[in-house]
Amino acid sequence: MRYLSTRGHAPDTPVSSGPGFTEILLGGLAPDGGLYLPVTYPQVGQAELAQWRTLSYADLAYAVLSRFIDDIPAADLQTLVNRTYTAKIYGNGRVSAEAGEITPLRWLARPDPPSGEGGLAILELSNGPTLAFKDMAMQLLGNLFEYVLARRGEEINILGATSGDTGSSAEYAMRGKRGVRVFMLSPHERMSAFQRAQMYSLQDANIYNIAVRGMFDNAQDIVKAVSNDLAFKTRYKIGAVNSINWARIAAQVVYYFKGYFAATGGVQGDNEQQVAFAVPSGNFGNICAGHIARMMGLPIGRLVLATNENDVLDEFFRTGVYRPRNTAETAATSSPSMDISKASNFERFIFDLVGRDPAVIRRLWSGIDAGRSFDLSATPYLARLPEFGFVSGRSTHADRLATIRRTYQQHGLLIDTHTADGLKVGSELRTPDMPMVVLETALPAKFEATMIEALGRKPERPAALEGIENLPQRVAVMDASVDAVKQFIERHAG
Ligand SMILES: *Cc1c(COP(=O)(O)O)cnc(C)c1O
């Protein structure tokens, strides 16, 4: 499989000779500023769906990913997915996780067509080490990075800034991996005690936590400044694992298939039945994978995009206007991992919506990159939206609390704030003709304060994480200075 850039010049060669999977694995944006996508979407027919239905998660991951990756030998790719998708890594001890199942499906209402009940379920994606769905892709990324770097005899220094979820997911994926060092900046004393403990208690020699005296934005500005220093970046082989990484999207496609099979009758199921997925969304990475699964031929009837108060994407799907917000317009909410001002993966979907015309993307994003918005309401593209199955809605703090309470009272199930946004919007938009599968994106233990506000009590924690705040911590505290961070990397980057 060859890859192209949404902006058309990456590099400026015929697409038939564009880069392969391992060539784009370690990079971020394409050289022209666009995002990578496969030249065509591999197609999956009824025969494959019937075969794939019975596969274990690891074997299904191999079946899906081998359609996107042809520059890693089959046996090696199989080994990498087998090593990644194990019950040990995705078994954080939650009672509902059935033996060996990586992403169990839990019905809140079973489908019952005679009574008009389409079915409502939650797909558990947070059984990985950091209790958020990002582990589903990031754990594979760790193994892919180690493999590709070893094959090339190279090393990489991953530099990132985090306010919580992404940084810890990256550290747990990269810990102990040969050829990889992680330098993760976080705002000093601004994360919860649990989040700090999750990251700073890692004792692996290749993980460096840097707490910067300042806010998240200061940390992010330092990462940008270091990455823009091309001489430094090349000399110290600086890389990133941000949400635009294609391998992360590809790995996420797998659980749409798994969730589809579980929601349509398991091993003996029906491959014609449509299913809707509701996805708590921020940077559009998770739901972009759903879009790709649908383009491959998986019968996804609807993709329901749920936002919190930061509703830039809901606004687009309702009106055709994409208007990224500025920092002052971006609210700090109780579903913080969805607090985005613009959605970094959105360009991938718009590329498909405009018929894969890179000239249109260049025109639209020259405005976006200059801080403007675009409006498709008067174009033929808006009318094409239903062809892609997207609908959207938004959820507020009050909705979140009410949904968490109701789900606990009616089902005895604790859900986190982000999953609550998905469940709120998914419940409103469900129909009797197909099950609605809500993607769970985190466990409530990560967001204790809001859970206490909703239910008056603390959520349980997986046993392995009890008392994590008392473990010794490893973190370097420094001023928000580009030079201080560069010197730290120079001292430790070998
Ligand atoms: C990252 C994240 C999201 C948003 O996912 P996107 O891929 O950015 O749309 C939602 N919920 C949680 C808990 C997350 O960590």
Side-chain angles (χ1 to χ4, degrees), residues 133-134 165 280-286 337-338 418 441-442:
F133 88 99
K134 291 194 171 66
D165 286 350
S281 292
N283 273 317
F284 205 80
N286 197 352
S337 303
M338 292 157 62
H418 306 77
T441 57

